[in-house]
Amino acid sequence: MIIAGPCAIESREQIIRIAKKLKEIGVDYLRGGAFKPRTNPKDFQGLGDEGIKYLIEAKEITGLPIITELMTIEQVRKYGDKIDIIQIGSRNMYNYELLKELSKQTTPVLLKRGFSATYKEWINASKYITESGNCKVILCERGVRSFEPETRNMLDLQAVPYIKNHTDLKIVVDPSHAAGNTYMIKPMSLASMAAGADGLMIEVHDRKEEALCDKNQALSIEELKDIIDSIK
Ligand code: PEP
Ligand code: MN
């Protein structure tokens, strides 16, 4: 399962243009953030409701199913059944009231690991969703905080066999937010698949220099295609 797309939906034109290119290279799901949980409040916060509208349009045009992050109970109620996978970000893994709301949904949830969450805390977070009714949870390893400032986070590949061994859940790896640098994404993608991951979530942008969010880790469409070919 290859999920790819820009960090953020930046305009109608941008998301539709990128979606078409991703469809051509065989991506399975289109990602794009409309509500962006930025560490700095002065950074681009996403297009919000307008962004979701463009993402849904990109789906209608290309046929690609969509995944996007929702951050509040209200957003889950409003958009939960309009998207194909609800992404819960690293910062919200501990937001139990939000997780309880997801248990009432039938849409699958991609639950990212909190950046300093233990495996057990992460699995417990997933149980807030699964044990009250929504069994469609996919976990996503996206790197944990470490002492190393040269990379954004540290990719914990041991999470893959651990989750496989201790749960029945699928696990996807997001090497983009772990590495934070484009040149690391391919080796980490291949390593993730070798470790047994069920898929990858990778950030791409076809005009990287214009990206409003996470440009240092964005791959070009060609670079993503090379990874997909190598995995095959
Ligand atoms: C994202 O995938 O857009 C994102 C914000 O990632 P994380 O929640 O892992 O920081
Ligand atoms: Mn990002």
Side-chain angles (χ1 to χ4, degrees):
M1 173 186 192
I2 306 287
I3 304 170
C7 180
I9 299 156
E10 298 164 3
S11 68
R12 178 179 178 277
E13 202 264 322
Q14 174 247 20
I15 192 69
I16 292 172
R17 189 183 71 229
I18 295 177
K20 286 180 180 165
K21 294 179 180 174
L22 294 178
K23 172 81 180 182
E24 259 174 46
I25 63 165
V27 161
D28 302 300
Y29 281 82
L30 173 67
R31 68 150 281 151
F35 303 103
K36 294 303 302 173
R38 304 306 299 280
T39 303
N40 185 337
K42 292 208 169 83
D43 288 341
F44 176 57
Q45 301 287 311
L47 295 180
D49 300 286
E50 199 188 335
I52 302 263
K53 199 173 90 189
Y54 301 150
L55 187 66
I56 293 173
E57 226 183 308
K59 171 184 170 160
E60 286 164 358
I61 292 171
T62 60
L64 278 178
I66 51 177
I67 166 167
T68 196
E69 177 166 357
L70 299 179
M71 297 202 295
T72 66
I73 292 173
E74 292 70 33
Q75 289 165 8
V76 170
R77 288 187 183 149
K78 193 165 173 192
Y79 295 118
D81 60 356
K82 297 189 175 53
I83 58 180
D84 297 285
I85 304 180
I86 303 169
Q87 177 175 326
I88 295 303
S90 196
R91 292 159 188 79
N92 268 323
M93 191 211 81
Y94 291 108
N95 186 341
Y96 300 121
E97 290 304 311
L98 181 63
L99 301 181
K100 283 183 202 166
E101 184 62 32
L102 295 163
S103 73
K104 301 179 197 157
Q105 299 288 318
T106 51
T107 306
V109 176
L110 182 100
L111 180 64
K112 294 191 110 182
R113 181 182 180 185
F115 46 71
S116 58
T118 64
Y119 298 150
K120 286 190 174 155
E121 286 169 336
W122 188 19
I123 292 170
N124 278 337
S126 78
K127 289 182 183 166
Y128 268 92
I129 309 169
T130 56
E131 288 187 357
S132 318
N134 184 352
C135 58
K136 289 177 256 167
V137 172
I138 304 159
L139 297 179
C140 178
E141 161 63 34
R142 45 77 76 205
V144 290
R145 196 157 261 187
S146 80
F147 51 81
E148 176 55 69
E150 288 293 304
T151 58
R152 187 169 179 180
N153 289 285
M154 186 176 286
L155 186 60
D156 177 10
L157 279 187
Q158 293 172 151
V160 176
Y162 184 90
I163 293 300
K164 291 276 165 203
N165 202 53
H166 289 79
T167 77
D168 294 325
L169 302 173
K170 300 275 186 216
I171 177 164
V172 159
V173 174
D174 167 359
S176 303
H177 291 88
N181 292 285
T182 48
Y183 72 93
M184 293 179 177
I185 313 288
K186 182 178 180 186
M188 292 301 99
S189 295
L190 298 183
S192 301
M193 296 312 287
D198 297 292
L200 297 168
M201 177 152 86
I202 299 178
E203 287 189 348
V204 293
H205 204 295
D206 62 344
R207 296 180 190 166
K208 200 177 143 157
E209 287 322 306
E210 293 173 16
L212 296 179
C213 183
D214 287 352
K215 67 165 78 157
N216 293 337
Q217 66 197 37
L219 293 190
S220 65
I221 309 285
E222 296 69 31
E223 285 166 329
L224 178 66
K225 182 174 184 310
D226 173 48
I227 291 177
I228 294 174
D229 291 345
S230 300
I231 289 169
K232 283 183 187 153

